[in-house]
Amino acid sequence: MDDLREKYLNAIAGAGDEASLEELRVAAVGKKGEVALQMRELGKMSPEERQVMGPKLNALKDEINAALAAKKSALEDAALDERLKAEWLDVTLPPRPSQQGTIHPVSQVTEEVTAILADMGFSVAEGPQIETDWYNFDALNIPGHHPARTEMDTFYMHRLEGDNRPPHVLRTHTSPVQIRSMQKQGAPIRVIAPGRVYRADYDQTHTPMFHQVEGLAIDKDISMANLKWVLEEFFSAFFGTKVKTRFRASHFPFTEPSAEVDIQCSWEGGTVKVGEGDGWLEVLGSGMVHPKVLEAGGIDPDEWQGFAFGMGIDRMAMLKYGIPDLRAFFDSDLRWLRHYGFAALDVPTLHGGLNR
Ligand code: PHE
């Protein structure tokens, strides 16, 4: 019995996997295993002998079974350890870098402009980029023969023969949104209209598509003084520093009187700095809304008056963020976008800051 015990306990200790363990179990304590054979011998023994050998054989059987169970769970533990080692994952490692998109300077500046003017009570209005020539010109007091219609290098929509719809153009400015807003809301009104505009022009400072923001404020007693205050407040908030403005008499068919507005700047070493120095930079057109324009918008010019302005957004982005070439804005060059773009989740707000 000692030989048997030693033989099987050793074999079990040396077993390398569960299959050989099972073989050992059958050979030792299976129905026809060696321990069972020994038990059969008990019948041939004297009662005294049997009383000694019986319990011993049972104990041996228990011992082998216990050794088998212990070895089995040891093998399982070892297998699990192996797996844990192989499948181990360091969750403290930094993640792989992933490419992130950026916000285009035009979108950024549109958000900034909107945040500032919304705080002054202007809401955002929109109009179509494909506009009738009535909204783009006639309603704005630009008659058919007016040079502005050709001066503006208008893109006309091609019309098929028999098309009786009014002629359409790609809007040359955001001013038609003045008319649409007046028709929709009536007076009083305070809106801005940022968006794309189109003119057939292409050089270092002109692209055939660019962006403007229109401003319109109409009430009983709005004057040029209100316009000047709004613009000075706006520029100072936008550039993050006090900016002086200069109003120059000008002419637009849709405003009377009209003024072009310059902002204070310095020119040093080829770079423009806004809000310092004694140079001036033209940034927008403005004036008191012409009575005929109020009428076209369905507003009584004897009762209401107000100002309007139109400003180039791309120009503002170039000035604020030191971007030299306008054409690069619309080249979709990833290197340019990554360099001049803004963090996607960093939305400009008055309380969070407007200056990146
Ligand atoms: N629409 C004019 C332009 O594109 C700008 C402007 C807007 C001027 C409103 C006066 C009033 O040049």
Side-chain angles (χ1 to χ4, degrees), residues 140 142 152 172-176 178 197 199 210 212-216 251-260 282 284-289 307-312:
L140 290 162
I142 310 174
M152 274 183 160
T172 57
H173 50 182
T174 43
S175 299
Q178 287 188 35
V197 298
R199 290 178 203 177
F210 60 104
Q212 286 187 336
V213 59
E214 194 81 8
L216 176 69
H251 174 77
F252 298 102
F254 33 92
T255 46
E256 184 58 37
S258 303
E260 278 175 313
E282 186 195 321
L284 62 79
S286 65
M288 295 301 290
V289 180
F307 66 73
F309 63 84
M311 179 172 64

Side-chain angles (χ1 to χ4, degrees), residues 93-138:
L93 279 177
R96 292 195 179 92
S98 61
Q99 279 294 349
Q100 291 205 321
T102 57
I103 301 298
H104 195 285
V106 168
S107 305
Q108 174 79 17
V109 165
T110 303
E111 290 289 332
E112 294 174 6
V113 168
T114 304
I116 298 166
L117 291 165
D119 190 55
M120 294 189 207
F122 290 84
S123 52
V124 174
E126 282 183 312
Q129 293 174 42
I130 299 172
E131 197 41 290
T132 64
D133 66 351
W134 186 82
Y135 278 104
N136 195 78
F137 296 121
D138 304 77

